């Protein structure tokens, strides 16, 4: 494809894949798109291993990494605060509430808070922790760094500039775009409410043109549309609105390469577009995910109000980990509770396909869509 962004990044097709799974990143970049590894949950030594593996398997194709350094989070600047300090801040009634949810689904909770389940990665969401991950990433040939949930810190933008790495930021509204551009961001990943994971309230079809309008005087900014996109026709629609490409997170989750557990993958393949909810029950900020007995419990009239980030995540992660492990071992109650981030595009993900097949289908579908559109002109 002829495009300024493709030329700048050395890619054939401006389909960007967000994934926590290194295999997805590699397969997308090798097929002509651009893979971005979500690294917030990794310790620096694990990130080193993942990036080394990517370098060995990606055939020299470009890729990037993504972190999550929120602008607003309780205890954001308390670098010396440990995981145990955070756990101690969670009121007892919250632990009891989660115990009750699991026990109502026949899961033992005796070992739930023993440290055996779930990793607390709050430190990676603070600038100091994120910098450690970036130090690792800078030793590898990444060409894009993307930040979620806020404006990337100035020091990070400057380091990326020095190393010729483009900077992107997740953008859910016009006002975010203005702040990102002022901070020196090159690529706005404009994500609608349909998206999996953390998401805003405005639909992709509205937020993308609104953000494009907000930066129209700055020709150097690239816009990637995100949220609900699972086909090349949707990609063509976004590019018709002025996006330079698209950024997808959900569509990879039902591939054989993905990190999803068999239970979650089956639920996703069977789900329709109505089967996701926007819930604060996992991180404290709204995330779109599969509706399950877990999200239902937090939405019930007697539920506690989810805490803010990061405490809600510190509370939820051990429970989600135990649920996933037990569901994988065939536990019925755990299967009912199990959920994972996914967007409304889950309704379009009805068949397990390889990552490569998905990228090639995007390309074919894009060409057909452009052809269809061009026939509308006399
Ligand atoms: C499983 C999953 C985990 C996600 N985790 C992150 C994350 O750590 N950082 C981030 O920038 N975005 C994250 N996202 C959001 C994606 O970057 C992307 O914006 C979103 O998936 C796009 O919408 P879609 O899900 O409809 O494709 C996640 C999305 C999913 C589905």
């Amino acid at each position: 494809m002829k495009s300024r962004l493709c030329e700048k990044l050395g890619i054939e097709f401006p389909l960007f894949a967000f994934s926590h799974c290194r295999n997805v990143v590699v397969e997308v970049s090798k097929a002509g798109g651009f893979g971005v590894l979500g690294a917030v949950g990794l310790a620096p030594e694990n990130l080193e291993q993942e990036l080394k593996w990517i370098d060995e398997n990606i055939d020299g194709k470009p890729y990037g990494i993504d972190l999550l350094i929120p602008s607003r989070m309780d205890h954001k600047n308390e670098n010396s605060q440990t995981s145990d300090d955070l756990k101690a801040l969670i009121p007892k009634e919250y632990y009891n509430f989660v115990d009750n949810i699991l026990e109502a689904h026949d899961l033992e909770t005796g070992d739930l808070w023993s440290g055996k389940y779930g990793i607390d990665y709050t430190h990676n969401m603070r600038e100091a922790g994120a910098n450690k991950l970036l130090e690792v990433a800078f030793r590898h040939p990444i060409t894009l760094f993307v930040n979620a949930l806020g404006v990337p810190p100035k020091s990070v933008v400057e380091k990326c500039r020095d190393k010729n790495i483009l900077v992107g930021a997740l953008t859910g509204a016009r006002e975010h775009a203005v702040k990102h551009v002022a901070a020196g961001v090159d690529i706005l990943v404009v994500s609608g409410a349909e998206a999996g994971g953390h998401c805003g309230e405005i639909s992709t079809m509205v937020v993308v043109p609104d953000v494009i309008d907000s930066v129209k005087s700055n020709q150097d900014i690239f816009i990637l549309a995100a949220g609900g996109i699972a086909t090349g026709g949707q990609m063509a629609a976004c590019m018709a609105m002025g996006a330079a490409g698209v950024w997808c997170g959900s569509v990879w989750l039902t591939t054989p390469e993905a990190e999803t557990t068999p239970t979650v993958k089956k639920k996703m393949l069977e789900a329709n577009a109505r089967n996701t909810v926007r819930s604060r029950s996992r991180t404290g900020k709204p995330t779109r995910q599969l509706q399950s007995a877990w999200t239902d419990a937090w939405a019930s009239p007697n539920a506690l109000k989810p805490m803010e980030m990061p405490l809600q995540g510190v509370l939820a992660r051990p429970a989600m980990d135990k649920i996933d492990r037990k569901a994988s071992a065939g536990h019925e109650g755990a299967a009912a509770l199990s959920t994972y981030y996914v967007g409304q595009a889950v309704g379009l993900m009805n068949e397990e396909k390889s990552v490569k097949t998905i990228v090639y289908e995007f390309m074919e579908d894009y060409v057909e869509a452009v052809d269809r559109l061009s026939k509308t002109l006399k």
Side-chain angles (χ1 to χ4, degrees):
M1 184 188 285
K2 258 192 301 179
S3 112
R4 221 159 39 90
L5 183 59
C6 287
E7 262 175 44
K8 199 160 184 124
L9 285 170
I11 57 175
E12 287 165 39
F13 190 63
L15 169 59
F16 290 69
F18 170 88
S19 179
H20 289 291
C21 174
R22 64 190 188 181
N23 304 64
V24 173
V25 171
V26 161
E27 287 302 310
V28 170
S29 288
K30 285 206 303 201
F34 191 99
V36 180
L37 184 74
V40 68
L42 297 173
E45 55 279 17
N46 296 338
L47 179 61
E48 173 59 35
Q49 277 170 7
E50 298 292 281
L51 297 185
K52 187 167 176 284
W53 186 89
I54 290 176
D55 293 341
E56 287 165 0
N57 289 279
I58 205 163
D59 296 349
K61 299 290 183 191
Y63 70 95
I65 75 150
D66 172 287
L67 289 176
L68 202 152
I69 317 171
S71 293
R72 268 179 307 178
M73 170 169 89
D74 287 354
H75 317 290
K76 178 176 156 74
N77 299 317
E78 297 170 44
N79 283 318
S80 59
Q81 200 167 34
T82 65
S83 212
D84 286 340
D85 296 333
L86 290 170
K87 285 181 195 154
L89 291 171
I90 298 174
K92 184 90 181 81
E93 60 181 326
Y94 278 86
Y95 289 112
N96 292 341
F97 183 69
V98 171
D99 283 346
N100 290 340
I101 297 174
L102 268 63
E103 283 161 14
H105 291 85
D106 298 326
L107 283 169
E108 292 274 328
T109 54
D111 60 352
L112 186 54
W113 312 110
S114 63
K116 182 171 159 193
Y117 296 105
I119 302 165
D120 175 28
Y121 50 77
T122 304
H123 54 282
N124 288 348
M125 301 196 285
R126 299 190 180 114
E127 207 172 319
N131 275 330
K132 289 203 180 114
L133 292 172
L134 281 166
E135 271 169 35
V136 172
F138 288 153
R139 294 201 289 269
H140 294 264
I142 61 161
T143 52
L144 174 65
F145 162 69
V146 177
N147 189 50
L149 295 184
V151 179
K154 192 163 174 263
S155 63
V156 172
V157 175
E158 283 169 1
K159 273 184 219 149
C160 289
R161 281 270 166 287
D162 288 349
K163 295 178 186 307
N164 229 357
I165 294 168
L166 292 182
V167 178
L170 271 285
T171 309
R174 188 179 177 107
E175 59 272 21
H176 301 164
V178 175
K179 288 187 199 157
H180 289 329
V181 170
V185 167
D186 308 286
I187 298 182
L188 299 176
V189 180
V190 184
S191 174
E194 303 92 316
H198 289 107
C199 62
E201 291 158 305
I202 312 166
S203 70
T204 305
M205 198 67 178
V206 172
V207 75
V208 169
D210 195 22
V211 168
I212 288 174
D213 179 65
S214 75
V215 298
K216 64 175 182 277
S217 60
N218 191 337
Q219 293 298 311
D220 294 334
I221 304 291
F222 295 103
I223 306 287
L224 298 181
I229 300 165
T231 71
Q234 290 172 293
M235 177 172 178
C238 292
M239 293 183 68
M241 292 193 284
V246 294
W247 167 280
C248 302
S250 290
V251 73
W252 321 110
L253 297 173
T254 45
T255 62
E257 290 92 343
E259 76 278 18
T260 27
T261 63
T263 313
V264 160
K265 197 179 282 179
K266 182 167 180 286
K267 281 190 179 189
M268 286 184 182
L269 288 168
E270 288 169 0
N272 66 45
R274 286 197 185 85
N275 298 140
T276 70
V277 282
R278 212 168 154 265
S279 163
R280 293 208 303 113
S281 63
R282 285 192 76 149
T283 71
K285 292 188 191 284
T287 58
R288 188 171 294 287
Q289 58 199 286
L290 276 177
Q291 184 189 357
S292 82
W294 168 269
T295 58
D296 290 350
W298 283 94
S300 80
N302 305 325
L304 295 177
K305 190 168 162 237
M307 291 172 288
E308 297 296 320
M309 182 177 264
L311 294 188
Q312 186 68 21
V314 173
L315 177 78
R317 274 191 282 272
M320 300 318 305
D321 186 19
K322 176 149 193 172
I323 289 166
D324 282 343
R325 292 198 214 178
K326 292 288 173 186
S328 295
H331 189 289
E332 255 181 56
L337 288 164
S338 72
T339 171
Y340 195 51
Y341 304 121
V342 72
Q344 291 176 344
V346 75
L348 304 174
M349 295 151 46
N350 304 318
E351 216 185 302
E352 191 177 41
K353 292 174 191 166
S354 71
V355 170
K356 190 170 161 186
T357 303
I358 291 177
V359 176
Y360 288 169
E361 284 184 2
F362 255 86
M363 290 173 174
E364 282 165 20
D365 201 31
Y366 178 87
V367 171
E368 273 172 33
V370 171
D371 188 43
R372 227 175 10 250
L373 278 183
S374 64
K375 287 190 184 126
T376 63
L377 293 177
K378 280 196 189 149

